[in-house]
Amino acid sequence: MPEGDTILMAARALHRALAGHLVTRFESALVQITRVAEDQRVIGRTIESVTARGKHLFIQLSGGLVLHTHMRMNGSWHIYPVGARWRRPHRDMRVIIGTARAVAVGFNIPVAELLTARELDRHDSLRALGPDLLADDVDVAEVMRRMREHNRDPIAEVLLNQRVAAGIGNVFKSEILFLGGIYPFSRTADVADEQLDALIAIARKVMAVSVKLGQRTTRSSLNPAERLWVYGRGGKPCFKCGTPIHAKKTGLDARLTYWCPRCQAAVESSR
């Protein structure tokens, strides 16, 4: 599932393939995108850059126009040489943006919109995003401040809140809390400042390592099936202590949280 690491890797790959080239092809299965593309004359513009912020991806076009996409659970971008056969069926296509040398196809992307610079600046959802944890200049103090605004919420939910910090998804949530030794359902109020600071540092490190390696990993292992500490390992022994990993569905989306009941023992609330 796409999280901050996946989106940053996709943005970098798209930038290498498309940046600096003229748009020669633009299509979309989304009516609202097609209408704006015709009004704004996307074809003929230059692709200036492709960047990421948390789970959001931005293709910057000349003249201030931006293609903004969000993958949610199942979306993905593929890059093909012109004329190459796609690895996914055409019915899954949502957006195509192509140049004379490459074609980028967005498959099953649930959120896609063409925005002017003014619309981008006024975009409520994007303005509300917290600091990007993969940014070089992330404001850790601001992330901490936003975390404390949700002191009544379980720490696992706070890590997933993109208005607190952008980029963490369900996989990294469980992995970060394990590495920090924090019980996922602890109230954030009961997590000390130094523990929150450590969680932010862990998040930045494991996500950056995953980007560097080109694959999601939080644990050094030659076995591809053992690159994560707890996620997806319900009932299996903890790699550290041997205790069976627990799993629990929570929230409106019934997302699974994984944790080791020994390495991440619950503590009584003190507030």
Side-chain angles (χ1 to χ4, degrees):
M1 59 187 70
E3 299 189 25
D5 61 327
T6 308
I7 304 305
L8 181 57
M9 287 187 284
R12 289 178 175 177
L14 288 165
H15 182 86
R16 289 192 297 269
L18 304 176
H21 297 275
L22 291 176
V23 178
T24 58
R25 181 183 181 186
F26 189 89
E27 300 174 30
S28 179
L30 306 172
V31 175
Q32 66 272 25
I33 289 281
T34 302
R35 186 182 302 117
V36 176
E38 291 174 351
D39 291 342
Q40 295 290 339
R41 297 182 180 180
V42 171
I43 293 176
R45 293 178 185 254
T46 299
I47 300 170
E48 296 182 340
S49 65
V50 186
T51 57
R53 182 180 174 192
K55 299 180 183 182
H56 299 260
L57 188 144
F58 305 89
I59 300 178
Q60 179 74 50
L61 305 173
S62 58
L65 196 64
V66 177
L67 175 61
H68 162 235
T69 60
H70 190 295
M71 310 304 172
R72 295 275 171 87
M73 296 292 289
N74 300 310
S76 62
W77 278 101
H78 290 199
I79 303 169
Y80 301 99
V82 174
R85 185 175 180 177
W86 298 353
R87 297 189 301 275
R88 298 284 297 272
H90 193 277
R91 65 176 178 273
D92 291 342
M93 182 276 289
R94 299 296 181 269
V95 184
I96 301 172
I97 184 166
T99 68
R101 57 174 281 189
V103 176
V105 187
F107 292 106
N108 291 326
I109 294 175
V111 177
E113 52 189 351
L114 278 167
L115 304 169
T116 64
R118 184 178 183 183
E119 289 170 336
L120 186 65
D121 287 341
R122 297 185 174 188
H123 199 292
D124 289 340
S125 296
L126 295 175
R127 290 177 64 185
L129 280 177
D132 183 352
L133 291 175
L134 281 168
D136 293 335
D137 58 350
V138 62
D139 187 342
V140 174
E142 177 61 13
V143 177
M144 288 274 289
R145 186 190 69 77
R146 292 181 182 224
M147 283 180 158
R148 286 298 179 210
E149 289 182 343
H150 297 273
N151 265 342
R152 294 184 178 181
D153 298 334
I155 185 61
E157 291 184 14
V158 173
L159 288 182
L160 285 179
N161 189 332
Q162 300 302 295
R163 295 187 174 208
V164 172
I168 297 175
N170 208 43
V171 177
F172 277 125
K173 172 200 72 179
S174 291
E175 295 295 295
I176 292 162
L177 289 169
F178 174 81
L179 290 167
I182 305 297
Y183 179 61
F185 309 107
S186 299
R187 287 196 319 156
T188 301
D190 297 319
V191 182
D193 284 347
E194 57 268 25
Q195 292 176 304
L196 291 183
D197 188 65
L199 288 179
I200 296 168
I202 291 167
R204 297 194 67 204
K205 180 179 179 180
V206 295
M207 292 171 70
V209 167
S210 294
V211 171
K212 182 178 180 180
L213 296 178
Q215 59 189 2
R216 187 166 298 156
T217 180
T218 59
R219 180 175 181 272
S220 297
S221 175
L222 296 177
N223 184 346
E226 297 182 352
R227 290 192 177 126
L228 299 176
W229 285 100
V230 292
Y231 187 85
R233 301 192 64 250
K236 296 180 180 179
C238 173
F239 287 125
K240 281 190 176 181
C241 71
T243 302
I245 298 298
H246 285 197
K248 179 181 178 181
K249 290 183 178 180
T250 59
L252 295 176
D253 297 327
R255 293 181 177 181
L256 276 166
T257 297
Y258 296 85
W259 77 99
C260 172
R262 182 174 181 181
C263 296
Q264 300 166 264
V267 295
E268 291 186 9
S269 175
S270 60
R271 305 185 190 187

